[in-house]
Amino acid sequence: MAAPDTPAGGRTSPVPERRPAAIVSHLDIIYRVVGGKRSNTSAIGDDEGESIFRNLIGRGKTVATVQSVHAVKDVSFVAYHGESVGIIGRNGSGKSTLLRAVAGLLPPTNGEVFLAGTPALLGVNAVLMSALSGERNIYIGGQALGLTKAQVKERFEEIVAFSGIGDAVYRPMSTYSSGMAARLRFAISTAAVPDVLMIDEALSTGDAEFRKRSGEKVDEIREKASTVFLVSHSNSTVRDLCDRVLWMHHGRLIADGPTEAILTAYEGWDPKKHPAGPPGIG
Amino acid sequence: MTAGPEGLPQTPPALSAEEAAALAKRHGLPSLGGRPPFGDYVGSLWGQRSFIWTLSTAQTVARNSSDRLGMLWTVLNPLLLIGSYYLVFGLLVPTTKGTTNFIAFLAIGVVIFGYMASSITRGSKSIVNNIGLVRALRFPRAVLPVAETLTQVVTVLPAIAVLMVVVIVTGEPVRWHWLLLPVALAMQTAILGGMVLIAARLVNISRDMTNLIPVAIRVLRYVSGVFFSIEAYAARFDPFVGDVLMIQPFALPIALVRQCLLEEAPIQWIQWAAGLGWAVVLPAFGLWFFWRDEAKYGRA
């Protein structure tokens, strides 16, 4: 408790003046999944009637309809202002869940998240309101991020220009291609210079030219002392944009350090050769 | 955690929960887990009024764009409903006891109760139907049920216009009491806002609740004097039951609107006072009740 800034380990602490933007402490996220169930082989076929009956009376006993998924397990880290943090890991390793929890959009089951300012999360799947035009979604997103209506109006042209979707902005978002929707979401999320910007795979759907522009935008946001979190399966995107990487595996944070070192280890790890898991988790 | 066998850099050791909390406190980082104090929450909701309006108009547009006849249905629907209720309760099984202008009496019941029914049905799903928005952006979640309530106000206006036509056509005289109609509707909207907030949290806790809401609304439709005069039938009940039936927040708005528009229904100020009471207590309680779960909306 004497000097909480200094990690107790052998490494010397980074400059103590660094201002944390996000503190994640022993975070656990357990999803409650309703509806999904493992089909019980004996319950299929002849005695289906019985299984329905059992399902009615012994809910959760024989054929559970509520499952829990432990998506993030005891994750702790501190991210600082101006830092750009990549989160890598295989599918289902808890990256996106972690990101959502850090954005305050998923309440922690255990542990705590502290965050400076307002986060904006930009996900590939983040639907604003797909029945509505891009224009209305810009107003909804912009105002939800804390801009006033007048400010959104003022930046409207800029947002549309940055997204590069042109007149499609007046069409319902349900008619957009995934790339167009991702570009528009990115443009909306960055219109307000959020204190913490979270990007979930969104950049990978854009074309090369858009990726370059969005990279510049991310740099610009970092220069304004904001923090950027990026979840991506594209190692080159992570290399380009991030100076620090968190490696998630089966819900655990197994490595946290400079981009190059972690990515090299990540790329060198072959799940077939090390089925027990990547190095560092014993 | 030590360096991995393949030269993985050392991960900084985790701070203990106390150390993390102390670090956050020193740099003024708020915890995300908790909800803001209730006073701040109400303030931030007020600060979002422009956002609420944007959402509400957007919802209105989205809904009317799917039907070909669009806005026309907001006029046709109440007319058809009034017609079918009149067929049953005016002609087949008359419940006209204690009323003189039954058509207008019935029209008010159908339209005003319909407003309550659709507000609660739609409003209760305002969180779960906008889960994408909830998971993508952080804003006071009460914005969604409140915006839905506003959307319903806009949607009910054509039906109110239909109602006025029915009232005039059936021969009600124009009186100063009509000026009270906006007051009655405003009180009803406040009451509904409170109910929608309560229902939205309940549905978020368990989606099974969406199956119970139509049942509850059906029961309320039958006990709230939509197609019969509670006062005329009150003698059948214990006086206490009769009073409860009359001042419960679903029956009361219907009674108040009848007092505005029908000559046969004298103004009963005690009922207006009760309406005002509901209009203050229910939104306040609803907002508090909704706020209790603020950190939990959007959980999968």
Side-chain angles (χ1 to χ4, degrees), chain A residues 26-38:
Chain A
H26 301 284
L27 180 72
D28 276 290
I29 299 283
I30 300 174
Y31 278 110
R32 217 167 24 107
V33 183
V34 185
K37 56 184 175 188
R38 185 188 296 262

Side-chain angles (χ1 to χ4, degrees), chain A residues 122-137:
Chain A
L122 182 75
V124 197
N125 301 318
V127 187
L128 296 172
M129 290 180 119
S130 56
L132 299 175
S133 67
E135 181 191 17
R136 285 196 188 268
N137 275 295

Side-chain angles (χ1 to χ4, degrees), chain B:
Chain B
M1 195 179 281
T2 52
E6 290 173 34
L8 214 57
Q10 217 170 35
T11 297
L15 302 173
S16 74
E18 293 77 24
E19 287 168 342
L23 178 65
K25 202 173 171 207
R26 257 184 301 120
H27 291 274
L29 268 59
S31 167
L32 287 182
R35 49 178 188 250
F38 186 60
D40 294 2
Y41 190 68
V42 176
S44 65
L45 196 60
W46 176 247
Q48 297 278 5
R49 59 193 182 281
S50 161
F51 177 44
I52 292 174
W53 187 245
T54 303
L55 263 179
S56 176
T57 45
Q59 280 168 347
T60 314
V61 170
R63 260 167 226 171
N64 285 322
S65 58
S66 52
D67 294 335
R68 186 161 283 213
L69 289 177
M71 291 296 281
L72 199 54
W73 281 114
T74 56
V75 173
L76 283 178
N77 248 330
L79 274 179
L80 293 171
L81 258 181
I82 294 167
S84 46
Y85 270 76
Y86 183 70
L87 180 70
V88 178
F89 299 107
L91 304 174
L92 296 176
V93 199
T95 56
T96 53
K97 187 173 141 190
T99 64
T100 46
N101 182 356
F102 186 68
I103 295 184
F105 179 91
L106 181 68
I108 292 171
V110 169
V111 168
I112 298 300
F113 192 85
Y115 173 40
M116 293 192 266
S118 74
S119 292
I120 290 173
T121 310
R122 291 273 196 174
S124 63
K125 295 178 195 154
S126 54
I127 296 292
V128 292
N129 281 356
N130 288 308
I131 204 83
L133 208 56
V134 171
R135 291 204 182 134
L137 299 164
R138 246 167 90 81
F139 54 86
R141 302 316 191 193
V143 158
L144 291 171
V146 173
E148 182 61 57
T149 309
L150 275 181
T151 306
Q152 293 295 329
V153 176
V154 177
T155 318
V156 80
L157 289 179
I160 299 287
V162 170
L163 185 60
M164 295 310 293
V165 172
V166 171
V167 166
I168 292 169
V169 168
T170 54
E172 288 294 327
V174 178
R175 301 181 304 157
W176 68 268
H177 299 80
W178 286 23
L179 295 176
L180 285 173
L181 181 64
V183 181
L185 291 177
M187 290 200 302
Q188 190 192 3
T189 304
I191 291 172
L192 284 176
M195 290 179 179
V196 163
L197 284 162
I198 295 168
R201 177 179 168 195
L202 292 178
V203 168
N204 184 65
I205 294 172
S206 168
R207 307 214 173 174
D208 298 340
M209 290 297 296
T210 42
N211 295 306
L212 294 179
I213 284 172
V215 178
I217 285 178
R218 181 141 312 159
V219 171
L220 286 164
R221 191 188 297 274
Y222 296 147
V223 301
S224 297
V226 172
F227 45 79
F228 67 96
S229 159
I230 298 176
E231 273 152 320
Y233 288 87
R236 299 181 172 204
F237 314 115
D238 184 84
F240 175 74
V241 175
D243 287 347
V244 168
L245 282 183
M246 257 181 281
I247 66 158
Q248 51 103 343
F250 286 86
L252 199 59
I254 300 176
L256 296 188
V257 172
R258 282 178 182 147
Q259 291 170 22
C260 297
L261 299 180
L262 301 182
E263 204 177 17
E264 66 189 72
I267 297 267
Q268 297 185 34
W269 292 113
I270 183 93
Q271 292 192 358
W272 287 78
L276 187 63
W278 282 122
V280 171
V281 171
L282 268 176
F285 173 77
L287 192 56
W288 173 83
F289 184 77
F290 184 87
W291 159 82
R292 301 273 303 162
D293 256 4
E294 177 69 5
K296 293 186 188 158
Y297 300 111
R299 171 176 274 181

Side-chain angles (χ1 to χ4, degrees), chain A residues 93-133:
Chain A
S93 58
K95 307 182 295 290
S96 297
T97 307
L98 175 63
L99 198 67
R100 277 204 199 136
V102 176
L105 301 165
L106 262 183
T109 313
N110 283 311
E112 211 160 0
V113 176
F114 303 90
L115 197 73
T118 317
L121 176 75
L122 182 75
V124 197
N125 301 318
V127 187
L128 296 172
M129 290 180 119
S130 56
L132 299 175
S133 67

